[in-house]
Amino acid sequence: MKIMRLGDIGKEQPAVMVASAEGPAQYYSLLPLTRDVDGAFLAGGGVGKVRDALEAATLPVLEGAEGLRVGAPVARPGSIVGVGMNYAAHAAESGSAPPEIPVVFLKPSNTAAGPFDAAPIPPHSSRYDWEVELGIVIGREASYLESPEEAKACIAGYVTANDLSEREYQLPGAAGQWTKGKSLPGSTPLGPWLVPADDIDGGNLPLRSWVNGEPRQDSATSELIFDAPTLVHHCSQYMRLEPGDVILTGTPEGVALSGRFPYLQPGDLVEVEVEGLGRQRQELYRAGQAGRPGPD
């Protein structure tokens, strides 16, 4: 089952998509269970309630779901936590040794966007980059956890993510700061759906990216230096993770920062995919220009 939020920006409604062996996928409204897919829903056993309602066939069909905009599958997270250089090959292409402990940074929650929304390049940006990532969605409070095994129980599910990054702001010179390069509007597309942790092996998922149809990244989450439970456990030692928060687990090699590919330009089409969690597509435009495209 795939949990989604469908509708115009600010008017998304909760839904679940269920694959059918006999035809197209079926969409059902979750409004009988919750007003939104948020922290309260996840903390209150929402995933289990959806599963029970599907088995009991009590959810109404959501008519016209295929024609609705797809929003981020989790309502605006309280925190978006990023992890840097969590694939050895990406650390190498970035000019760094693989980290011995997780590299952690924060992104503003207002960077979250829908998976098919047009993505703005900042007005003066010249080094805007893509990063396909596995996203962890937190399902229960995590603070000072004792072990990765305890942390595993705090993972509600997983999502596809694109950690769009401005490298000129992030890295070079005395003023280079990760926060500046990772905080730009619309820079964290999430989705298209949330898959419960019990339904998928988050530690063994292929993930890929393309720019204008040309392959860029091709790896798997089995190559993560620090896996999902380890990251949740580690982060819980330094911050309180709350239901609905999202952790971005890092990106594999194949980004523009490597010097092998050009940076993103207005009009480029970026696609990122984590197998089983869905594929995103963002058309890039220059922020501040008239006639910019709107969300799909």
Side-chain angles (χ1 to χ4, degrees):
M1 79 181 179
K2 300 173 173 66
I3 295 173
M4 310 179 71
R5 297 172 65 249
L6 304 175
D8 295 339
I9 294 174
K11 299 179 180 179
E12 296 92 344
Q13 59 179 305
V16 61
M17 182 177 73
V18 181
S20 173
E22 301 174 355
Q26 297 295 313
Y27 295 81
Y28 300 94
S29 173
L30 295 182
L31 285 175
L33 302 179
T34 183
R35 183 182 58 82
D36 210 343
V37 182
D38 54 15
F41 167 77
L42 296 171
V47 171
K49 292 176 182 178
V50 173
R51 203 182 305 278
D52 291 345
L54 286 172
E55 291 178 358
T58 57
L59 294 175
V61 172
L62 182 58
E63 300 292 348
E66 297 89 344
L68 297 175
R69 169 187 170 271
V70 181
V74 181
R76 183 169 170 170
S79 295
I80 299 175
V81 183
V83 176
M85 297 184 292
N86 199 20
Y87 291 80
H90 175 59
E93 74 177 356
S94 303
S96 301
E100 297 183 3
I101 59 173
V103 176
V104 177
F105 58 92
L106 292 173
K107 301 192 72 170
S109 62
N110 63 11
T111 63
F116 307 114
D117 293 347
I121 299 176
H124 305 295
S125 167
S126 61
R127 299 181 66 192
Y128 211 50
D129 211 345
W130 61 89
E131 292 190 355
V132 61
E133 307 204 13
L134 172 72
I136 303 166
V137 179
I138 301 299
R140 65 176 69 171
E141 184 176 298
S143 181
Y144 301 118
L145 300 175
E146 294 292 334
S147 66
E149 189 61 31
E150 184 182 3
K152 188 175 181 180
C154 297
I155 299 174
Y158 299 99
V159 297
T160 299
N162 189 356
D163 180 17
L164 292 163
S165 306
E166 214 306 325
R167 304 302 189 185
E168 188 69 28
Y169 303 169
Q170 177 189 353
L171 297 171
Q177 298 177 23
W178 283 53
T179 296
K180 290 179 179 177
K182 299 282 191 174
S183 298
L184 300 156
S187 64
T188 317
L190 300 174
W193 48 67
L194 163 67
V195 175
D198 291 342
D199 291 0
I200 199 164
D201 180 4
N204 190 29
L205 299 175
L207 67 171
R208 308 176 184 89
S209 67
W210 301 260
V211 177
N212 299 325
E214 298 179 358
R216 292 292 185 261
Q217 297 169 279
D218 189 351
S219 187
T221 58
S222 57
E223 298 297 318
L224 285 166
I225 298 171
F226 307 105
D227 66 10
T230 299
L231 291 175
V232 174
H233 170 253
H234 180 82
C235 291
S236 80
Q237 308 307 305
Y238 303 96
M239 64 188 76
R240 178 185 292 126
L241 298 169
E242 298 180 333
D245 288 351
V246 175
I247 299 176
L248 309 180
T249 59
T251 199
E253 67 172 324
V255 297
L257 180 64
S258 68
R260 294 186 286 132
F261 308 108
Y263 285 98
L264 296 171
Q265 300 295 322
D268 283 347
L269 189 68
V270 176
E271 296 173 276
V272 302
E273 178 183 49
V274 181
E275 191 167 299
L277 302 178
R279 183 185 291 211
Q280 301 182 0
R281 184 187 72 254
Q282 293 100 35
E283 180 182 352
L284 279 294
Y285 69 93
R286 181 69 68 181
Q289 287 186 344
R292 70 177 179 89
D296 288 357

